[in-house]
């Protein structure tokens, strides 16, 4: 769920490249790097405040939703049960911002040198909430869940370059060339890709 929220935020930010790295099934650390629009310094803390969002004002809006993010409390929820380090730099900014939040408490906020885009590092997930930690599966199973989600996003958004690493091993890596065939090859391998039949709807 943490990976899903962060990846979808990256896509909403206009990222064309998203990198996901995990250690020990994400329980030790989750890193999500994107080249999206970044976050302005004055908005960094606000992004972690609890707030509700809604893009639906009428039934007609259901066919016009253009973003993935519906739940405004996602970052607040993640930061309340882990140690989050966010570095971000919007296009045009001379420096970036580094914000560290430990289980809901802001530890530091300072200028930093970083590339355009946003990086989230989530560490010690649920370490302070043992009751929730015990509901996690094994590291291998959790890594599999994350891999399954990334695989689906690769197929859904072939125009975005994805990279997924688990414990230092590259699981998926795509070029983001908008080729569905290449996306299928990446996720399912050559044997499936060469026998795939593509159906185009008019």
């Amino acid at each position: 769920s943490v990976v899903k929220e962060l990846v979808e935020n990256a896509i909403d930010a206009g990222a064309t490249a998203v990198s996901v790295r995990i250690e020990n099934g994400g329980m030790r650390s989750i890193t999500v790097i994107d080249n999206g629009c970044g976050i302005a310094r004055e908005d960094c803390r606000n992004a972690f405040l609890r707030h509700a969002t809604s893009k639906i004002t009428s039934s007609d809006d259901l066919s016009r939703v253009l973003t993935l993010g519906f739940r405004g409390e996602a970052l607040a929820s993640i930061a309340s049960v882990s140690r989050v380090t966010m570095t971000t730099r919007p296009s045009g900014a001379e420096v970036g911002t580094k914000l560290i939040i430990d289980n809901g408490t802001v530890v530091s906020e300072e200028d930093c040198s970083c590339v355009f885009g946003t990086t989230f590092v989530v560490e010690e997930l649920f370490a302070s909430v043992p009751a929730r930690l015990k509901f996690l599966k094994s590291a291998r199973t959790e890594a599999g869940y994350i891999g399954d989600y990334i695989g689906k996003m690769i197929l859904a958004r072939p125009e975005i370059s994805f990279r997924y690493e688990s414990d230092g091993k590259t699981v998926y890596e795509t070029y983001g060339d908008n080729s569905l065939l290449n996306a299928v090859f990446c996720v399912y391998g050559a044997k499936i890709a060469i026998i795939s039949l593509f159906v185009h709807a008019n």
Side-chain angles (χ1 to χ4, degrees):
S1 296
V2 171
V3 171
K4 180 179 185 295
E5 295 289 356
L6 295 179
V7 168
E8 291 182 357
N9 281 349
I11 294 173
D12 281 347
T16 59
V18 180
S19 176
V20 178
R21 298 198 300 261
I22 66 169
E23 294 183 21
N24 194 37
M27 288 176 277
R28 181 175 298 123
S29 71
I30 296 170
T31 301
V32 177
I33 306 169
D34 72 63
N35 65 346
C37 64
I39 304 173
R41 175 68 177 265
E42 60 269 21
D43 293 328
C44 286
R45 291 198 186 203
N46 291 337
F48 288 89
L49 296 178
R50 293 193 177 277
H51 59 280
T53 60
S54 178
K55 299 173 179 66
I56 305 299
T57 57
S58 70
S59 59
D60 291 338
D61 291 335
L62 292 172
S63 61
R64 292 196 295 264
V65 175
L66 301 177
T67 61
L68 297 168
F70 277 88
R71 299 189 298 156
E73 81 281 3
L75 291 182
S77 297
I78 294 169
S80 69
V81 293
S82 65
R83 180 180 177 87
V84 176
T85 301
M86 180 185 75
T87 55
T88 185
R89 182 183 173 194
S91 177
E94 294 184 358
V95 296
T97 302
K98 181 178 182 180
L99 178 66
I100 300 176
I101 300 180
D102 192 353
N103 290 283
T105 301
V106 175
V107 174
S108 65
E109 182 180 18
E110 59 189 13
D111 290 339
C112 72
S113 175
C114 63
V115 298
F116 296 121
T118 303
T119 297
F120 283 95
V121 179
V122 180
E123 300 172 292
E124 302 174 7
L125 184 62
F126 298 139
S128 62
V129 194
R132 296 183 67 178
L133 182 63
K134 70 179 184 181
F135 285 103
L136 292 178
K137 306 296 184 182
S138 68
R140 182 176 181 179
T141 299
E142 294 293 342
Y145 290 154
I146 296 170
D148 182 63
Y149 167 73
I150 298 296
K152 291 176 180 176
M153 293 307 295
I154 288 171
L155 296 172
R157 303 298 296 266
E159 77 280 10
I160 297 175
S161 171
F162 287 96
R163 182 181 178 88
Y164 171 47
E165 296 180 20
S166 178
D167 292 325
K169 178 182 178 181
T170 300
V171 181
Y172 294 132
E173 185 171 16
T174 67
Y175 295 108
D177 57 3
N178 206 27
S179 168
L180 187 55
L181 180 61
N182 286 343
V184 171
F185 178 87
C186 174
V187 177
Y188 295 112
K191 289 184 179 179
I192 298 299
I194 62 176
I195 63 172
S196 296
L197 176 64
F198 291 87
V199 179
H200 297 275
N202 292 327

